[in-house]
């Protein structure tokens, strides 16, 4: 470690040899040893069977210290690390703290930032930053600098073998070689390192979620250059940068895949642009059918002026009428054009009996159509898929066909097909939302991922717990899950636990027999659970239930039976239970306010909903939809947000989420004259503080904590830094306890 760096650590570092003798320490350690008893070091080492544990020690003065023993493979020396807070090992010397606070998440700079930190900490003659693919046991070089290892071809992508990298990958631990010599060679590359002139080596894994995702490899020509203090520093550093390094790799992989796909498409496009190749399209449909398990796949050209379509390619099972022009009337293609999206139909549904009459009697249950657009955004064809089951109605089929239709748009755009026709210049938006979820507006990754999770969970009848802040749309998701799930044919019954008085909630949930209490209805009353039989019951604000009702609800969940008030005999009931809350139920369990066994029963599957502030452009999509709906229902011209109003909408944190957004839109719709809503029309609460530059760092972070309601992930994303870096800033400024 570079000179004087050890003394800048904000905690004591004491090196002890195998005989319990202190051989080196930093300034804090020297000061602390003067105040401790002579047996303190020996007692610490004798007491620590697990070096990974941090233990507290109470001194005679009453002061509490937190102690960890650090060991590393390759030396018998140990470090005793002593701080005055339990999380003291998350801190590094001040210069590194500042760099880590502002550690960017941009994948193009993450590796450079890590390299800068390494170069600030130690002197070396060789440094490699590796990225590891554990599943494939492969690694790549992210960053390399220094003397080339003799006899080594520095390939970009190779297999992990019995090397030093293989050892730390297998053991998930650091490996230190203080002095490299022929007598101590451990790995196959050690002789090459020695011949090159290296005499000290340090190998450090980068670990996230108990998986090695990378490594820092250091070599020096000076024996003893790397010691146990360096190993300790790099273990801490690797933990602090692991998350950024991981997500940078994910983003880079996505970029590589996108670039590779684009290159392939451009190559295919140039290869087929000189002539029309039906065989190519037929082969494409064949492969799509095999890969997607769609029984019949076809491509139909569209001529809207003549209101005709022509099937030019098909595979797996040939379409009846392939190669002939047919009218668009009463076809799924016509409805696809009208709806401006991917459409899918269950042909067994009476509503769609008149669609595709030519397919009747061919054993087809469902059919899907995906629009194919050219590079100008004009629909030129439709990709079709039919199945004998309902797979064509699935979100998986829609997702596959959306991806493929984008590819075909590029290919068909470069084919000189005389039958291609001009279309409206407006680009059409495609919805791939599963059934029931199509009313959930938003295209951000976070809401698409949430919809995907919810649609998967909806396929089963396990109890589902929907969590999220107030106004995030928990009931909307519950209804979508019901519509997409096996209970869709039954009723959807909503119970707002917070809106019903506690003394009435039991009878509302479970019902009562006639005469159970004074004032009851003649003949008794069915409770919500019996009303929801063979369907879904949605228990909103489940955290508001009394402990007594929690016990009775637990019985319903466990036994699938309900006992109305005044009844001596339980009634069997089969119901899908979806619960929702904005409260922290786990914390309530700790406080004794919520039954732990009920929590585990209700959240067999948990679906957390993202707050609106994390959904980016979804804010504008929702506002646009709300304004159009108000215009339709009130028969008035559509109002639009100006560009400056849009900016303000995106800057605001929306603590009340979608519900607050709806209230603001309603107010603007009523009071703004004209069809354009300007920033001057917006309510005062939508304006964040101006003059960020004039704010101190403390004031800015204090404001952001308030605006984002303490959501540190959202604040880190807003600032473009890591969550760890934000935590360090808050800790340094006293805003994090």
């Amino acid at each position: 470690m570079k000179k004087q760096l050890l003394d800048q650590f904000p905690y004591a570092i004491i090196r002890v040899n195998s005989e319990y003798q202190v051989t080196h320490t930093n300034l804090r350690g020297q000061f602390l040893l003067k105040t401790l008893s002579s047996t303190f070091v020996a007692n610490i080492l004798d007491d620590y069977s697990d070096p990974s544990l941090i233990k507290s020690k109470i001194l005679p003065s009453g002061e509490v210290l937190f102690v960890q023993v650090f060991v590393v493979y390759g030396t018998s020396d140990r470090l005793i690390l002593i701080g005055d807070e339990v999380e003291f090992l998350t801190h590094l010397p001040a210069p590194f703290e500042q760099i880590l606070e502002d550690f960017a998440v941009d994948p193009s700079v993450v590796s450079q930032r890590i390299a800068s930190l390494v170069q600030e900490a130690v002197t070396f003659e060789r440094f490699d930053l590796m990225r590891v693919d554990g599943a494939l046991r492969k690694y790549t070089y992210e960053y390399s600098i220094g003397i080339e290892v003799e006899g080594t071809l520095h390939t970009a992508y190779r297999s992990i073998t019995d090397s030093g990298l293989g050892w730390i990958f297998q053991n998930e631990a650091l490996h230190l070689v203080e002095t490299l010599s022929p007598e101590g060679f451990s790995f196959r590359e050690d002789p090459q390192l020695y011949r090159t002139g290296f005499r000290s080596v340090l190998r450090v894994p980068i670990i996230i979620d108990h998986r090695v995702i990378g490594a820092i490899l250091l070599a020096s020509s000076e024996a003893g250059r790397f010691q146990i203090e360096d190993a300790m520093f790099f273990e801490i550093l690797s933990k602090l940068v692991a998350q950024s390094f991981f997500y940078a790799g994910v983003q880079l992989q996505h970029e590589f895949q996108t670039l590779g796909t684009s290159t392939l498409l451009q190559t295919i496009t140039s290869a087929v642009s000189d002539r029309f190749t039906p065989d190519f399209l037929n082969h494409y449909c064949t492969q799509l059918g095999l890969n997607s398990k769609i029984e019949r796949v076809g491509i139909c050209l569209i001529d809207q002026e003549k209101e005709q379509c022509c099937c030019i390619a098909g595979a797996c099972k040939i379409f009846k009428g392939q190669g002939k022009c047919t009218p668009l009337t009463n076809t799924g293609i016509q409805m696809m054009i009208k709806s401006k999206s991917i459409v899918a139909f269950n042909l067994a549904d009476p509503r769609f009996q008149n669609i595709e009459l030519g397919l009747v009697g061919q054993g087809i249950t469902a059919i899907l159509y995906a629009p194919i657009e050219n590079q100008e955004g004009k629909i030129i064809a439709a990709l079709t898929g039919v199945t004998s089951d309902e797979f064509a109605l699935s979100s998986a089929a829609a997702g596959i066909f959306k991806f493929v239709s984008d590819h075909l748009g590029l290919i068909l755009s470069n084919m000189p097909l005389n039958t291609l026709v001009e279309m409206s210049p407006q680009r059409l938006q495609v919805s791939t939302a599963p059934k029931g979820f199509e009313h959930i507006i938003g295209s951000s990754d976070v809401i698409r991922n949430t919809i995907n999770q919810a649609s998967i969970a909806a396929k089963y009848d396990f109890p589902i717990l929907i969590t999220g802040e107030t106004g995030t749309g928990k009931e909307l998701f519950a209804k979508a899950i019901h519509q997409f799930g096996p209970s869709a044919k039954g009723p959807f019954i909503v119970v707002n636990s917070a809106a019903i008085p506690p003394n009435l909630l039991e009878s509302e949930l479970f019902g009562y027999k006639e005469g159970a209490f004074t004032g009851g209805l003649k003949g008794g009353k069915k409770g919500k659970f019996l009303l929801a039989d063979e369907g879904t019951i949605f228990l909103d604000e489940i955290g508001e239930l009394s402990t007594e009702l929690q016990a009775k609800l637990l019985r319903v969940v466990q036994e699938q039976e309900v006992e109305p008030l005044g009844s001596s005999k339980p009634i069997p009931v089969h119901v899908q239970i979806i619960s929702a809350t904005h409260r922290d139920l786990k914390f309530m369990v700790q406080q004794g306010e919520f039954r732990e066994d009920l929590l585990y029963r209700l959240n067999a599957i948990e679906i957390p909903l993202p707050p609106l502030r994390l959904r980016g452009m979804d804010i504008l999509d929702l506002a646009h939809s709300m304004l159009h709906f108000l215009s339709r229902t009130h028969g008035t011209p559509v109002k639009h947000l100006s560009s400056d109003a849009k900016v303000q909408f995106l800057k605001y944190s929306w603590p009340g989420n979608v519900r607050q957004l709806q209230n603001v839109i309603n107010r603007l719709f009523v009071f703004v004259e004209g069809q354009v809503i300007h920033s001057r029309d917006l309510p005062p609460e939508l304006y964040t503080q101006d003059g960020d530059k004039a704010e101190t760092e403390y004031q800015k972070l204090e404001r952001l904590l308030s605006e984002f309601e303490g959501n540190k992930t959202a604040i880190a994303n807003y600032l473009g830094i890591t969550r760890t870096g934000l935590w360090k800033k808050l800790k340094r400024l006293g805003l994090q306890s």
Side-chain angles (χ1 to χ4, degrees):
M1 191 175 296
K2 289 185 176 179
K3 188 178 180 181
Q4 297 182 340
L5 179 59
L6 195 66
D7 290 333
Q8 296 180 32
F9 276 81
Y11 43 86
I13 302 174
I14 304 169
R15 192 202 301 180
V16 181
N17 63 20
S18 58
E19 298 176 355
Y20 289 10
Q21 297 174 329
V22 176
T23 59
H24 194 252
T25 183
N26 66 350
L27 288 176
R28 286 179 181 261
Q30 293 174 19
F31 174 79
L32 190 61
L33 286 174
K34 294 177 182 178
T35 65
L36 299 175
S37 66
S38 58
T39 61
F40 180 83
V41 169
N43 291 338
I44 288 293
L45 295 177
D46 288 338
D47 191 36
Y48 273 76
S49 57
D50 186 352
S52 65
L53 294 178
I54 295 179
K55 293 190 176 183
S56 59
K57 291 290 182 181
I58 302 177
L59 302 181
S61 63
E63 181 183 2
V64 179
L65 297 177
F66 297 91
V67 183
Q68 182 177 21
V69 176
F70 177 80
V71 298
V72 62
Y73 185 89
T75 178
S76 59
D77 287 354
R78 285 165 287 180
L79 294 180
I80 298 176
L81 311 173
I82 306 174
D84 54 9
E85 59 179 37
V86 68
E87 294 178 327
F88 71 95
L89 286 177
T90 61
H91 300 294
L92 289 174
F96 295 94
E97 284 289 297
Q98 187 63 47
I99 296 173
L100 287 167
E101 283 182 10
D102 299 314
F103 202 84
V105 294
D106 185 345
S108 64
V109 301
V110 167
S111 295
Q112 290 284 349
R113 289 291 183 92
I114 294 175
S116 298
L117 288 167
V118 172
Q119 293 179 60
E120 285 289 324
V122 295
T123 301
F124 55 82
E125 279 73 49
R126 180 73 199 178
F127 162 54
D128 292 300
L129 177 63
M130 327 291 287
R131 187 174 296 281
V132 173
D133 185 331
L136 298 177
R137 292 187 63 86
K138 300 277 188 178
Y139 65 90
T140 60
Y141 289 92
E142 286 284 305
Y143 186 94
S144 295
I145 189 172
I147 299 172
E148 290 292 338
V149 179
E150 180 181 322
T152 298
L153 179 63
H154 223 54
T155 57
Y157 198 63
R158 62 196 308 174
S159 298
I160 296 174
T161 57
D162 57 343
S163 61
L165 178 62
W167 187 93
I168 65 171
F169 175 78
Q170 183 69 30
N171 292 276
E172 299 182 6
L174 291 81
H175 189 280
L176 171 65
V177 180
E178 292 179 311
T179 302
L180 181 65
S181 64
E183 296 78 20
F185 288 165
S186 301
F187 309 114
R188 63 182 182 85
E189 74 269 24
D190 284 351
Q192 293 171 293
L193 294 172
Y194 188 81
R195 286 196 300 271
T196 304
F198 296 129
R199 295 297 181 266
S200 186
V201 180
L202 177 61
R203 301 173 173 97
V204 184
I206 301 175
I207 301 172
I208 191 169
D209 293 333
H210 305 289
R211 293 183 296 124
V212 175
I213 61 169
I216 295 171
L217 306 181
L218 291 161
S220 171
S221 59
E222 179 184 336
R225 172 74 61 80
F226 304 126
Q227 299 187 3
I228 190 170
E229 290 87 353
D230 300 287
M232 177 214 70
F233 171 85
F234 280 105
E235 181 177 78
I236 297 172
L237 179 65
S238 68
K239 290 178 180 178
L240 295 176
V241 302
Q243 189 176 48
S244 294
F245 187 69
F246 172 76
Y247 286 114
V250 172
Q251 293 183 57
L252 287 171
Q253 190 66 25
H254 176 72
E255 291 176 9
F256 297 156
Q257 291 174 346
T258 301
L259 180 59
T261 300
S262 175
T263 302
L264 175 62
L265 284 174
Q266 294 299 330
T267 303
I268 293 173
T269 298
S270 62
V272 300
S273 61
D274 58 336
R275 60 190 179 87
F276 176 53
T277 55
D279 288 342
F280 169 79
L281 293 179
N282 283 327
H283 185 65
Y284 193 100
C285 291
T286 299
Q287 292 302 318
L288 175 59
L290 293 173
N291 293 339
S292 66
K293 299 182 181 179
I294 296 287
E295 294 167 35
R296 307 187 192 183
V297 178
I299 299 172
C300 297
L301 295 181
I302 300 171
D303 186 334
Q304 285 195 68
E305 293 182 358
K306 296 181 180 180
E307 295 188 347
Q308 291 182 337
C309 63
C310 177
C311 186
I312 61 169
C316 300
K317 289 185 178 180
I318 303 300
F319 278 93
K320 185 178 180 180
Q322 184 168 329
K324 298 180 181 179
C325 291
T326 57
L328 289 174
T329 307
N330 292 331
T331 65
I333 292 178
Q334 185 183 46
M335 298 189 71
M336 177 198 76
I337 296 171
K338 183 178 179 180
S339 65
K340 301 179 180 180
S341 71
I342 291 178
V343 294
F345 305 102
N346 187 336
L347 299 183
D349 191 319
R351 294 174 298 169
F352 308 126
Q353 286 180 343
N354 294 325
I355 294 177
E356 302 297 358
L357 293 174
L359 297 176
V360 175
Q362 298 189 39
I364 294 171
T365 298
I367 185 166
L368 176 147
Y369 301 91
I372 298 173
E373 301 175 356
N374 64 11
Q375 292 171 327
E376 287 74 43
K378 302 171 184 177
I379 293 180
I380 56 177
L383 179 64
T384 63
V386 298
T387 57
S388 58
D389 55 19
E390 294 184 330
F391 181 68
L393 305 175
S394 70
S395 59
I400 294 168
F401 272 58
K402 170 62 172 68
F403 187 84
V404 170
S405 63
D406 289 343
H407 284 187
L408 287 172
L410 288 173
I411 294 170
L412 293 180
S413 295
N414 287 273
M415 287 183 172
L417 305 174
N418 296 329
T419 50
L420 292 180
V421 294
E422 291 297 319
M423 289 287 296
S424 168
Q426 183 178 3
R427 178 169 290 277
L428 305 179
Q429 294 183 350
V430 178
S431 173
T432 60
K435 180 183 177 182
F437 293 87
E438 59 268 20
H439 301 301
I440 299 175
I441 298 170
S443 58
S444 63
D445 289 342
V446 66
I447 199 66
R448 291 292 101 190
N449 289 338
T450 304
I451 290 174
N452 182 56
Q453 289 181 350
S455 65
I456 293 173
K459 298 175 183 178
Y460 307 92
D461 60 356
F462 297 124
I464 295 174
L465 176 64
I466 303 175
T467 58
E469 299 174 6
T470 299
T472 49
K474 293 186 281 291
E475 183 174 342
L476 186 64
F477 265 83
K479 188 175 295 182
I481 291 170
H482 163 73
Q483 293 173 349
F484 192 65
S487 302
K489 293 182 180 180
F492 179 77
I493 305 298
V494 178
V495 179
N496 189 327
S497 307
I500 303 175
N503 60 318
L504 299 180
L505 191 55
E506 183 175 0
S507 62
E508 284 293 314
L509 285 175
F510 309 122
Y512 56 84
K513 291 290 186 179
E514 183 177 351
F517 54 83
T518 303
L521 295 175
K522 185 177 181 179
K525 178 183 177 180
K526 274 191 173 184
K528 298 292 188 182
F529 270 94
L530 289 176
L531 289 175
D533 194 23
E534 300 301 327
T536 301
I537 189 167
F538 175 53
L539 303 173
D540 199 8
E541 300 298 346
I542 191 69
E544 305 304 319
L545 286 179
S546 67
T547 53
E548 182 182 357
L549 277 179
Q550 290 174 29
K552 295 188 176 183
L553 177 59
L554 178 63
R555 175 177 174 80
V556 176
V557 179
Q558 287 177 327
E559 307 297 335
Q560 286 287 293
E561 59 184 24
V562 172
E563 187 171 333
L565 290 173
S567 173
S568 59
K569 184 179 179 181
I571 302 173
V573 61
H574 181 74
V575 61
Q576 164 81 43
I577 299 176
I578 302 178
S579 309
T581 183
H582 71 282
R583 302 183 66 179
D584 186 345
L585 295 185
K586 293 181 181 178
F587 179 76
M588 292 180 66
V589 168
Q590 296 174 0
Q591 299 299 308
E593 300 173 356
F594 201 85
R595 293 180 64 105
E596 185 175 22
D597 47 4
L598 179 59
L599 173 60
Y600 289 136
R601 290 285 185 176
L602 293 179
N603 75 339
I605 300 175
E606 182 176 348
I607 306 293
L609 301 189
L612 185 58
R613 60 182 168 273
L614 298 184
R615 293 176 55 182
M617 297 299 291
D618 287 357
I619 296 171
L620 301 184
D621 291 340
L622 285 161
H624 175 79
S625 176
M626 292 171 182
L627 288 169
H628 274 256
F629 176 79
L630 291 171
S631 174
R632 289 195 306 271
T633 54
H634 291 84
T636 60
V638 179
K639 295 183 179 181
H640 302 279
L641 295 174
S642 67
S643 58
D644 55 345
K646 290 179 180 178
V647 170
Q648 202 61 41
F649 265 57
L650 293 174
K651 287 175 62 179
Y652 185 56
S653 62
W654 299 104
N657 296 294
V658 179
R659 187 176 294 127
Q660 181 189 12
L661 176 63
Q662 182 69 73
N663 291 339
V664 170
I665 291 296
N666 291 345
R667 195 186 325 171
L668 295 171
F669 178 82
V670 171
F671 292 109
V672 173
E673 297 181 357
Q675 293 178 247
V676 179
I677 300 171
H678 297 281
S679 60
R680 63 176 178 270
D681 301 316
L682 304 183
E685 65 263 26
L686 261 67
Y687 285 88
T688 57
Q689 294 183 18
D690 293 325
D692 283 356
K693 293 182 179 179
E695 290 181 295
T696 65
E697 187 178 26
Y698 182 94
Q699 291 171 331
K700 182 177 181 179
L701 288 173
E702 187 178 42
R703 171 173 61 80
L704 291 176
L705 283 170
S706 175
E707 290 181 5
F708 286 90
E709 296 185 332
N711 189 320
K712 296 180 179 60
T713 300
I715 298 172
N717 291 338
Y718 176 81
L719 295 173
I721 61 176
T722 66
R723 196 177 188 281
T724 301
L726 174 65
W727 182 86
K728 287 182 171 292
K729 284 181 181 290
L730 298 176
K731 190 78 173 177
R732 173 171 55 83
L733 296 169
L735 292 170
Q736 172 73 45
S737 59

